[in-house]
Amino acid sequence: MIEIKNLTKAYGTKKAIDNISFTVNSGEILGFLGPNGAGKTTTMNIITGYNGATSGTVTVDGLDTVENPMECRRKIGYLPELPPLYMDMTVSEYLNFVFELKKPDLDCEEHLDEIMEIVKIKDVSGRLIKNLSKGYKQRVGIAQALIGNPEILILDEPTVGLDPKQIIEIRNVIRDLGKDRTIILSSHILPEVSAICERVIIINEGKIMAIDTPDNLSAKLSGENKLLIRVEGKEKEVTGALRGVDGISGIECVGEVEEGTCDFVVSAKKGADVRKKVFSALAKADMPILMSKAAGLSLEDIFLKLTTDESKEAKKSKKEEDKN
Amino acid sequence: MEAIFKKEFRSYFYSPIGYVFIAIFFFVASLFFSINNLFGGSGDINMVFDNMILIFLFLTPVITMRLIAEEKNAKTDQLLFTAPIKVSSIVLGKFFAAISIFAIAMALTVVYPLLLASFTEPDWGKMISNYVGFMFMGAAFVSIGLYISSLTENQIIAAVTTFGVLFLLYLIDLFGSAVNTVSLFGLDIKLSQVISAISLVAKFKSFSMGVIDIGAIVFYIGIVVIFVYLTVFHIEKKRWSK
């Protein structure tokens, strides 16, 4: 559906994005993940035709966005990072204006009604946009992108700055919209991407670091099974009790969270399930396990691993963060 | 273009800008009219028009400063420039909206000739040529303000710069009479002639004498075309800069 080929955008000598290529399939929700300044917004601005690229091409349904800008723009609904709202207008005035601007071949009243129903802003349609809460502004921004029923939605950080309840609501809206549309969504919040997206592109400093499903990324990069346990007892005693257990390749103490306990990451050899053995070994030593969970790499770990040169350092700093 | 025009025109009245512009314009123009014509007992409206140039000089920045600068500042340009509509249509829609505000203010001043008509038989031809000339000159002023508004995100800077440029264009006539001839590469150039050739205000003189000067109209339209084009060009260049 969307094909991006060798796209580069340079501001002076600094390259905001550097020779990136990927395709977006019809009907999928693609997550665009990266730290601030990675080039997410730049890429989206180029796809939507707001900015030009230094080199490379973007094609939408086989049409080049530079050669056929009008046709391409009609297929794309764009919600920029800051929703492009006119604060002095009421919600319905604003949506009417966007409708007139995009001039889709639809019945205005019916179409706007439908959209306001989808994003649930009917009850504020008569209010001035400047008086709306951030969550509602974001919804009006999404409504604006939906006008003209574009097949593709590009949402730049749609949940940034919202409260947890609003985030869940917006996510549900996006998930619903994704049922019959292609969506590209950018975010630096990882659980969000893994919750909504079918495929993830991780981008850093203008380069693509990985493209895959969230699950595959996790499996590919974690390599070995890890178990995170919290045991009552002293560090040395616990390591001593676990040393003899078959199948364990490493034990690492990651600190003390509750008083009198220690947290450990127990690494198992490939394919081995050490949970039962760890349980019986510690039970024998009379050291109760207070908590146990699989410590597979979360998207956050993957993200740090991919976006930091020395992954070990990143992990260390992350652990320190966890401690705090 | 209609969508932009409608939105822009309405937005003048969502904020106080439209009202303020029209009210101040009408108030000051009426002051001149009262002093000159009503109290002065004159049937000649030229003085009022001459002074209206000055008022308009001060007030043009008020209606042009926000045209593009505000869109950039509020990032609403992302909506406009990713919509299936040409940049030239957006710019023209905005230009005509600003012209309309100007036209409304001008339309109110039609009261003056009508008032005069109740005392004397005014020179209708001269009136009409004055209005025609003023509309075209106003369009040229607005196009300059529009262009300057596209150069910045800051409305205040746009307003101050627009005023500075228009004021300079107004004063340029004075320079013309101060300096006469300069020698350049052995050629004697009559600077006053060069200046009156590019002066926006000097071109208005024939209108105030009752002549509908086609040359001046073409000149004003040329100014509008150049600055509208420059605005579009600047916006496109910014977006596509490599």
Side-chain angles (χ1 to χ4, degrees):
Chain A
M1 178 134 238
I2 305 177
E3 203 175 349
I4 285 133
K5 255 192 211 154
N6 307 329
L7 206 62
T8 299
K9 173 83 181 176
Y11 293 104
T13 52
K14 197 194 168 293
K15 281 180 177 169
I17 50 172
D18 190 359
N19 201 21
I20 64 170
S21 305
F22 61 92
T23 51
V24 187
N25 306 322
S26 185
E28 80 173 337
I29 305 183
L30 179 79
F32 217 53
L33 199 61
N36 291 328
K40 292 170 297 197
T41 302
T42 308
T43 310
M44 292 184 151
N45 277 341
I46 293 172
I47 298 173
T48 53
Y50 178 65
N51 281 131
T54 308
S55 65
T57 55
V58 178
T59 50
V60 177
D61 270 344
L63 293 171
D64 190 300
T65 50
V66 177
E67 281 156 23
N68 301 293
M70 297 305 150
E71 285 87 345
C72 289
R73 286 177 197 178
R74 231 166 255 135
K75 290 176 197 283
I76 298 176
Y78 183 31
L79 171 69
E81 196 170 351
L82 190 74
L85 306 173
Y86 292 103
M87 297 299 164
D88 289 334
M89 294 187 186
T90 66
V91 172
S92 59
E93 275 170 348
Y94 173 70
L95 294 179
N96 268 303
F97 162 65
V98 179
F99 188 91
E100 284 173 33
L101 191 69
K102 295 190 180 176
K103 273 196 228 151
D105 229 354
L106 296 159
D107 180 64
C108 179
E109 213 169 299
E110 205 177 295
H111 185 54
L112 294 186
D113 224 43
E114 216 172 279
I115 287 170
M116 287 202 268
E117 195 71 57
I118 295 173
V119 295
K120 302 192 183 71
I121 49 171
K122 256 201 170 149
D123 46 331
V124 295
S125 65
R127 283 176 58 186
L128 283 178
I129 291 177
K130 66 177 162 202
N131 295 334
L132 296 181
S133 70
K134 187 120 204 307
Y136 269 111
K137 280 182 190 156
Q138 200 72 22
R139 282 163 197 236
V140 178
I142 295 177
Q144 160 274 123
L146 286 173
I147 288 175
N149 278 333
E151 303 152 52
I152 302 161
L153 279 182
I154 296 184
L155 311 172
D156 196 357
E157 310 214 342
T159 59
V160 82
L162 303 182
D163 70 37
K165 191 170 162 267
Q166 292 169 331
I167 289 179
I168 291 168
E169 286 170 355
I170 295 278
R171 262 187 221 166
N172 288 335
V173 169
I174 294 171
R175 214 177 279 132
D176 282 344
L177 291 172
K179 280 175 191 155
D180 45 8
R181 283 181 187 82
T182 308
I183 297 182
I184 304 180
L185 168 118
S186 84
S187 178
H188 57 253
I189 308 161
L190 304 141
E192 176 166 294
V193 169
S194 56
I196 320 179
C197 299
E198 291 145 25
R199 234 157 39 106
V200 181
I201 292 182
I202 298 182
I203 181 172
N204 188 39
E205 285 172 3
K207 290 197 173 88
I208 291 181
M209 311 303 287
I211 308 179
D212 217 326
T213 62
D215 292 345
N216 275 354
L217 278 176
S218 174
K220 209 185 279 177
L221 288 156
S222 56
E224 49 186 349
N225 299 323
K226 280 184 181 169
L227 193 65
L228 176 70
I229 54 173
R230 180 170 298 163
V231 186
E232 200 178 296
K234 291 204 173 90
E235 185 188 337
K236 273 188 186 157
E237 289 166 13
V238 177
T239 9
L242 287 174
R243 191 154 291 151
V245 178
D246 195 30
I248 290 180
S249 63
I251 305 160
E252 197 188 348
C253 181
V254 291
E256 181 180 327
V257 180
E258 281 177 62
E259 214 175 307
T261 70
C262 272
D263 283 14
F264 296 90
V265 174
V266 179
S267 318
K269 284 174 191 157
K270 235 177 186 167
D273 188 352
V274 293
R275 287 175 295 180
K276 280 184 197 166
K277 286 172 191 162
V278 167
F279 172 79
S280 36
L282 290 172
K284 227 177 263 171
D286 197 20
M287 285 183 280
I289 297 176
L290 303 177
M291 181 195 84
S292 166
K293 68 174 186 180
L297 278 184
S298 69
L299 259 184
E300 248 150 286
D301 296 315
I302 297 168
F303 184 57
L304 284 172
K305 209 167 177 172
L306 287 169
T307 54
T308 326
D309 286 328
E310 288 170 62
S311 54
K312 272 183 190 167
E313 232 168 66
K315 266 193 210 161
K316 212 184 275 169
S317 66
K318 194 180 168 284
K319 266 167 211 158
E320 270 154 26
E321 251 177 49
D322 287 349
K323 262 188 227 166
N324 299 334
Chain B
M1 192 173 93
E2 309 88 67
I4 298 281
F5 173 81
K6 262 162 71 183
K7 173 231 140 200
E8 207 61 46
F9 185 75
R10 271 192 216 139
S11 76
Y12 278 115
F13 299 100
Y14 288 145
S15 65
I17 286 181
Y19 299 105
V20 167
F21 173 81
I22 292 169
I24 293 183
F25 185 89
F26 191 56
F27 174 74
V28 182
S30 302
L31 209 63
F32 282 121
F33 175 71
S34 308
I35 294 167
N36 260 311
N37 299 91
L38 298 184
F39 298 122
S42 159
D44 189 356
I45 207 166
N46 272 355
M47 279 295 281
V48 179
F49 272 97
D50 279 352
N51 288 315
M52 254 157 47
I53 297 177
L54 205 58
I55 308 165
F56 197 51
L57 217 61
F58 281 95
L59 290 178
T60 304
V62 174
I63 53 171
T64 60
M65 63 179 184
R66 47 184 294 289
L67 285 175
I68 302 199
E70 197 190 26
E71 303 272 6
K72 285 209 269 187
N73 190 34
K75 302 260 184 264
T76 42
D77 59 339
Q78 290 195 310
L79 168 68
L80 303 184
F81 298 148
T82 59
I85 174 173
K86 287 198 182 107
V87 173
S88 51
S89 311
I90 295 170
V91 171
L92 281 175
K94 284 172 174 288
F95 172 72
F96 285 121
I99 292 294
S100 307
I101 300 296
F102 174 57
I104 289 175
M106 286 303 290
L108 288 175
T109 66
V110 174
V111 182
Y112 310 153
L114 294 181
L115 268 176
L116 283 184
S118 63
F119 298 110
T120 168
E121 181 60 28
D123 186 344
W124 290 111
K126 213 167 162 183
M127 294 286 177
I128 290 166
S129 74
N130 261 314
Y131 274 99
V132 170
F134 213 80
M135 274 316 293
F136 279 103
M137 189 176 60
F141 280 9
V142 166
S143 70
I144 292 171
L146 172 76
Y147 173 61
I148 292 170
S149 176
S150 79
L151 300 178
T152 171
E153 285 181 18
N154 188 317
Q155 292 187 45
I156 308 291
I157 291 177
V160 172
T161 313
T162 306
F163 172 70
V165 169
L166 293 181
F167 199 55
L168 203 71
L169 286 172
Y170 183 77
L171 291 179
I172 211 167
D173 285 334
L174 295 180
F175 292 129
S177 50
V179 238
N180 287 322
T181 319
V182 275
S183 286
L184 207 65
F185 307 120
L187 282 169
D188 282 341
I189 297 167
K190 283 223 167 93
L191 211 59
S192 55
Q193 276 182 3
V194 175
I195 283 171
S196 74
I198 59 166
S199 165
L200 288 174
V201 179
K203 289 274 183 303
F204 183 68
K205 291 215 171 82
S206 46
F207 292 102
S208 65
M209 286 186 295
V211 181
I212 294 187
D213 183 349
I214 299 298
I217 290 178
V218 170
F219 175 78
Y220 287 137
I221 292 176
I223 295 278
V224 169
V225 170
I226 287 170
F227 279 99
V228 167
Y229 174 76
L230 279 177
T231 310
V232 174
F233 180 77
H234 181 77
I235 292 169
E236 293 279 20
K237 184 175 151 264
K238 257 272 162 79
R239 291 170 62 206
W240 295 91
S241 63
K242 302 204 164 175

